[in-house]
């Protein structure tokens, strides 16, 4: 399309030397639904007359009944109920000589004024910068090119500042890399402008410490828990970029089996940097990811913003247990299953505890009991299957 348009301009330049002509109005901007009357005039010394002219719009010849000869050398055309421009660079209205030559051209920009942007959201990566994104208006930029400008200023003083780095987090986004103040609210808004007007969003007020996010947790390791068939241990390190700041953190884990795209999320991790996934399928490869939500930075009362997920880390459970995984219950969160298992465990301790002594009571002994329990279940299943055969 661009090649055709450039070719048309070249022809226009050549033909205008032979048949000087002019279109009025030149490159108008119009609202959808409006009407336009344009005129094409050739020079008085030209051999062409009004009856030798015709009009096209985007390459399609306009019907003769829309023409009117205003003079011997001027032909007008009236276009009613204009539709929105087919391209943001404008529709091509062209005046031709009867042999098809291009005498003059004009671009029609037909559309709607911009609508005000909405849903402004911002985040700061490790208190060092600020990125904001927004939702554009709908019809306002469908037909006409629309420019977006993000502006910001300190709430109680200071001048308006204009963001410079656009499209950093999507088409409708802008990044402010430095020179931001903490503990002082900012006013942030977006201006949308096109050929038919300007629309301004609502003003959003925020403090940088209230919208902090961070890098994903690092050093994520996933490993087996001894011979336990239904568990994996997950460990990670807190984001290093925030190590010098006073803040709290909460973490989420998501995991999936190798042959599935469905992730399961563990929400009850809290601020610990390790978690044991239980109730997994034996002999199965799992992919695990962790993310961090820093909150309470410098005493901020706002909820933090979740980081991206860490890169997937894989590990497999030993072969041949239970169902859907959760973090091992914390103190005070005992359910009926755990009570039943503890009752069985203490019975096992009364039988075998003399060889360990109370001083050696630990989670490792609990794990050893779980292994012995799983082995006894295997033996019983093998005996039952042997009886059936």
């Amino acid at each position: 399309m661009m090649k055709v348009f450039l070719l048309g301009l070249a022809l226009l330049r050549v033909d205008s030397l032979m048949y000087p002509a002019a279109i009025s109005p030149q490159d108008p901007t119009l609202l959808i639904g409006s009407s336009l009357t344009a005129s094409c005039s050739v020079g008085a010394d030209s051999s062409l007359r009004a009856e030798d002219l015709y009009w096209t719009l985007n390459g399609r010849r306009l019907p003769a009944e829309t023409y009117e000869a205003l003079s011997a050398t001027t032909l007008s055309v009236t276009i009613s109920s204009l539709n929105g421009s087919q391209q943001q660079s404008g529709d091509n209205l062209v005046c031709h000589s009867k042999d098809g030559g291009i005498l003059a051209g004009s671009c029609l920009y037909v559309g709607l004024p911009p609508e005000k942007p909405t849903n402004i959201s911002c985040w700061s990566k490790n208190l060092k910068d600020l990125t904001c994104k927004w939702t554009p208006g709908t019809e306002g930029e469908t037909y006409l090119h629309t420019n977006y400008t993000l502006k910001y200023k300190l709430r109680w003083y200071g001048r308006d500042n204009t963001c410079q780095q656009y499209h950093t987090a999507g088409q409708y986004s802008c990044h402010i890399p430095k020179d931001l103040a903490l503990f002082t609210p900012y006013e942030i808004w977006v201006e949308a402008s096109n050929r038919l007007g300007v629309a301004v969003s609502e003003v959003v007020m925020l403090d940088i410490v209230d919208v902090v996010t961070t890098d994903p947790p690092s050093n994520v390791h996933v490993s087996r828990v001894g011979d336990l068939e239904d568990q994996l241990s997950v460990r990670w390190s807190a984001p290093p970029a925030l190590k010098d700041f006073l803040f709290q953190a909460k973490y989420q884990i998501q995991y999936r089996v190798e042959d599935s795209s469905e992730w399961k999320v563990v929400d009850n991790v809290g601020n610990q940097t390790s978690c044991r996934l239980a109730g997994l399928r034996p002999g199965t490869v799992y992919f695990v990811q962790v993310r961090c939500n820093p909150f309470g930075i410098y005493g901020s009362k706002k909820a933090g913003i979740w980081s991206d997920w860490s890169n997937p880390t894989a590990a497999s459970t030993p072969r041949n247990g239970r169902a859907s995984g959760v973090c091992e219950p914390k103190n005070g969160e005992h359910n009926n299953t755990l009570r039943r298992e503890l009752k069985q465990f203490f019975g096992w301790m009364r039988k075998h505890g003399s060889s360990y002594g109370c001083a050696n009571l630990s989670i490792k002994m609990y794990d050893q009991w779980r292994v012995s329990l799983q082995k006894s279940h295997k033996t019983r299943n093998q005996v039952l299957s042997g009886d059936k055969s």
Side-chain angles (χ1 to χ4, degrees):
M1 183 68 188
M2 182 59 70
K3 291 181 179 179
V4 173
F5 183 66
L6 292 176
L7 178 60
L9 290 179
L11 291 173
L12 170 60
R13 190 165 299 170
V14 172
D15 279 3
S16 63
L17 296 176
M18 300 172 57
Y19 309 110
I23 289 180
S24 178
Q26 187 64 219
D27 302 339
T29 300
L30 304 146
L31 282 168
I32 289 176
S34 60
S35 298
L36 170 70
T37 297
S39 62
C40 177
S41 300
V42 294
D45 56 348
S46 171
S47 60
L48 293 173
R49 291 292 178 261
E51 60 267 21
D52 299 323
L53 311 179
Y54 70 90
W55 293 89
T56 62
L57 180 62
N58 292 330
R60 297 184 63 180
R61 188 162 180 160
L62 296 173
E65 54 266 27
T66 61
Y67 303 166
E68 181 182 357
L70 302 181
S71 70
T73 57
T74 301
L75 181 70
S76 71
V77 64
T78 298
I79 309 172
S80 302
S81 302
L82 285 164
N83 296 318
S85 294
Q86 295 182 14
Q87 50 206 17
Q88 291 189 342
S89 58
D91 292 339
N92 298 319
L93 180 64
V94 179
C95 176
H96 300 262
S97 60
K98 61 183 178 182
D99 61 359
I102 296 175
L103 301 180
S106 178
C107 286
L108 306 186
Y109 299 95
V110 186
L112 296 170
E115 298 178 0
K116 69 179 184 180
T118 58
N119 301 325
I120 298 175
S121 61
C122 303
W123 62 94
S124 174
K125 192 72 170 288
N126 303 320
L127 291 168
K128 295 178 180 179
D129 60 5
L130 189 69
T131 300
C132 296
K133 64 180 180 179
W134 59 89
T135 301
T138 51
E139 293 186 74
E141 74 161 32
T142 302
Y143 307 104
L144 300 178
H145 175 70
T146 302
N147 291 313
Y148 292 92
T149 305
L150 185 138
K151 295 187 176 182
Y152 62 101
K153 71 172 184 176
L154 293 171
R155 182 178 182 185
W156 292 297
Y157 54 90
R159 58 183 177 80
D160 292 2
N161 298 282
T162 301
C163 184
Q164 301 296 328
Q165 299 181 14
Y166 290 88
H167 315 304
T168 55
Q171 183 176 359
Y172 305 105
S173 65
C174 196
H175 178 240
I176 305 168
K178 59 182 180 178
D179 299 331
L180 293 164
L182 303 181
F183 311 113
T184 303
Y186 277 93
E187 294 182 355
I188 298 173
W189 66 97
V190 178
E191 297 178 357
S193 61
N194 67 16
R195 289 173 170 268
L196 287 171
V198 177
V200 182
S201 72
E202 302 293 332
V203 175
V204 172
M205 286 184 290
L206 59 85
D207 193 319
I208 302 299
V209 298
D210 292 335
V211 293
V212 177
T213 187
T214 187
D215 302 302
S218 58
N219 302 319
V220 179
H221 297 286
V222 184
S223 58
R224 294 181 177 183
V225 184
D227 293 329
L228 295 179
E229 302 164 340
D230 65 342
Q231 297 187 20
L232 288 173
S233 174
V234 186
R235 297 182 180 275
W236 60 91
S237 299
L242 291 177
K243 62 182 176 62
D244 296 328
F245 298 104
L246 179 63
F247 78 104
Q248 296 173 284
K250 53 185 176 183
Y251 297 94
Q252 275 186 344
I253 295 175
Q254 69 173 9
Y255 65 96
R256 65 175 176 85
V257 296
E258 183 179 25
D259 57 354
S260 173
S261 59
E262 180 181 353
W263 293 91
K264 295 183 179 179
V265 177
V266 180
D267 283 312
N268 61 340
V269 182
N271 63 357
Q272 59 187 346
T273 56
S274 65
C275 176
R276 187 181 293 190
L277 299 175
L280 306 178
R281 289 179 359 202
T284 303
V285 175
Y286 283 88
F287 289 95
V288 180
Q289 293 178 294
V290 187
R291 67 177 180 174
C292 174
N293 183 333
F295 67 98
I297 293 182
Y298 292 130
S300 171
K301 303 297 184 182
K302 301 287 186 178
I305 298 175
W306 287 105
S307 72
D308 293 333
W309 290 101
S310 63
N311 292 325
T313 302
S316 63
T317 52
R319 288 204 167 273
N320 225 354
R322 294 189 300 193
S324 59
V326 296
C327 274
E328 281 292 290
K330 303 175 185 176
N331 291 336
E333 295 181 357
H334 305 300
N335 54 29
N336 292 334
T337 302
L338 182 58
R339 289 176 182 273
R340 187 164 55 252
E341 288 187 352
L342 287 175
K343 186 176 180 180
Q344 295 173 350
F345 171 61
F346 287 126
W348 182 82
M349 278 294 298
R350 282 194 293 271
K351 182 177 180 181
H352 301 281
S354 59
S355 59
Y356 294 96
C358 290
N360 294 322
L361 185 63
S362 67
I363 190 66
K364 290 183 178 180
M365 292 182 62
Y366 176 75
D367 291 343
Q368 186 174 353
W369 167 73
R370 289 290 312 282
V371 171
S372 66
L373 185 66
Q374 290 174 349
K375 289 180 179 179
S376 66
H377 287 168
K378 283 184 187 176
T379 303
R380 184 175 62 185
N381 291 336
Q382 289 172 354
V383 171
L384 290 175
S385 63
D387 290 343
K388 289 179 182 179
S389 60

